[in-house]
Amino acid sequence: MKPIAVIGNVNVDLILGPAAPWPQPGTEIIVDHDELRVGGCAGNSALTLKALGVPFELAASIGSDRFGAWLAEEFGEQSQRWKVHAENTTISVGITHPDGERTFFTTLGHLPHYGAGDVLAVLDGEAHRGGYALFAGPFLMPRLAGEYGQLYDWADRHGIRVALDTGWPPAGWTTEVVAAAKGWLARSAIALFNEVETTSITGRDDVRDAARAMLGLMPEGAVAVVKRGPHGALAASAAGLVEVEAPDVAVIDTIGAGDVFNAGFLAAFAAGKSLRDSLAAGTATASLAVSTYPRRYAPPESRP
């Protein structure tokens, strides 16, 4: 197993639902489920790796409140060198709907204050030489996004291959946002995007064409993965296109599904599994997570 580092946003998720129809202002409704759990793109991936028993290191930060202390407790020794910001910890309230979709209400909190220096104070580059680093959720961390070049330089110095998942930009896929994503893709070994993100960045309507176009933005030997939810996943590489189907499951909530996929995929890929097997591992991990309450992850037989 090659080393895995996870770098990015960790916050608190409060999940409630399902709710339908959307309530009128001033009213109250009762929902069936509630769950308080680690959230954020990086947090979801790290929580999955932890549940799978896969060694990893997480570079993140927290606010100086009770929620920050709770997040630190969830990751134990992992959190001892995290930056503690003076601000409150970022919180997302996710309202799920019967069709598996969700609506988020998120505070800015501590995330905008996280920077590259905070990341590099946590990670030992030599300990991760030859491994993988998942860069997750930069659009929610504007300071870190502006300093991403420092992280790519750090990865290059230590022979670390970057897996990129930008998440959805709050401003949408503007010209400036697409340009930033393309700049990062040009230095990434693995792209981990969903269908809409892939087509938005490349301007291609067909997801397979979009995957090939994204691969064209990346260095030689790269892999462009497209997460397709209930339709499984596909990946473009120099060897061609690989596709896997997702199992048919009853969805409870899809919050963080793509982040869970990232962890399952990287765990398998870092263990030397084939691209097809790694896609299948990511898909199986995410499918189980979105269909269980309390949330569970991949069964033992699908672990790397």
Side-chain angles (χ1 to χ4, degrees):
M1 170 69 71
K2 293 179 180 177
I4 297 176
V6 180
I7 300 169
N9 56 323
V10 175
N11 55 261
V12 172
D13 273 359
L14 175 59
I15 315 301
L16 299 170
W22 194 255
Q24 292 294 319
T27 65
E28 180 178 10
I29 64 171
I30 303 299
V31 296
D32 293 333
H33 301 295
D34 70 273
E35 190 172 359
L36 183 70
R37 64 181 183 233
V38 174
C41 297
N44 289 325
S45 294
L47 194 68
T48 305
L49 291 170
K50 180 183 175 185
L52 294 172
V54 175
F56 70 97
E57 191 167 6
L58 173 62
S61 68
I62 50 177
S64 56
D65 57 4
R66 291 185 179 181
F67 280 128
W70 177 72
L71 287 172
E73 183 179 334
E74 287 295 296
F75 287 102
E77 292 184 6
Q78 287 269 6
S79 67
Q80 290 183 358
R81 291 188 292 165
W82 289 0
K83 174 75 173 182
V84 180
H85 302 286
E87 290 73 19
N88 288 335
T89 301
T90 300
I91 301 172
S92 281
V93 177
I95 308 300
T96 64
H97 306 296
D99 62 358
E101 288 301 323
R102 69 274 197 228
T103 303
F104 284 111
F105 299 84
T106 302
T107 62
L108 286 176
H110 72 285
L111 290 178
H113 306 280
Y114 191 42
D118 303 323
V119 173
L120 299 179
V122 172
L123 297 176
D124 179 355
E126 281 303 305
H128 289 275
R129 180 172 290 279
Y132 294 90
L134 173 61
F135 289 8
F139 293 128
L140 296 176
M141 301 171 291
R143 179 184 168 194
L144 184 62
E147 298 171 350
Y148 248 23
Q150 297 179 41
L151 298 187
Y152 277 101
D153 291 344
W154 167 82
D156 288 345
R157 286 196 303 271
H158 298 286
I160 298 168
R161 285 158 287 189
V162 174
L164 176 68
D165 183 355
T166 63
W168 188 265
W173 291 101
T174 64
T175 301
E176 294 77 12
V177 167
V178 170
K182 286 182 176 179
W184 297 332
L185 284 165
R187 303 186 68 179
S188 300
I190 302 172
L192 295 162
F193 288 76
N194 66 29
E195 287 186 82
V196 179
E197 292 162 351
T198 305
T199 56
S200 297
I201 290 171
T202 62
R204 305 291 182 90
D205 292 331
D206 180 82
V207 67
R208 293 167 184 83
D209 289 343
R212 296 184 186 99
M214 181 167 283
L215 183 67
L217 301 171
M218 302 174 70
E220 184 178 354
V223 174
V225 174
V226 183
K227 297 170 282 187
R228 307 188 65 208
H231 302 295
L234 62 83
S237 71
L241 205 64
V242 177
E243 301 188 47
V244 300
E245 295 182 355
D248 185 16
V249 297
V251 173
I252 294 175
D253 86 72
T254 60
I255 293 172
D259 312 321
V260 174
F261 175 98
N262 293 347
F265 174 88
L266 278 179
F269 208 61
K273 297 292 181 68
S274 70
L275 182 55
R276 181 180 297 278
D277 287 346
S278 298
L279 290 173
T283 300
T285 307
S287 296
L288 183 58
V290 303
S291 62
T292 52
Y293 175 82
R295 178 164 281 190
R296 292 189 293 114
Y297 300 89
E301 60 267 21
S302 66
R303 295 183 184 180

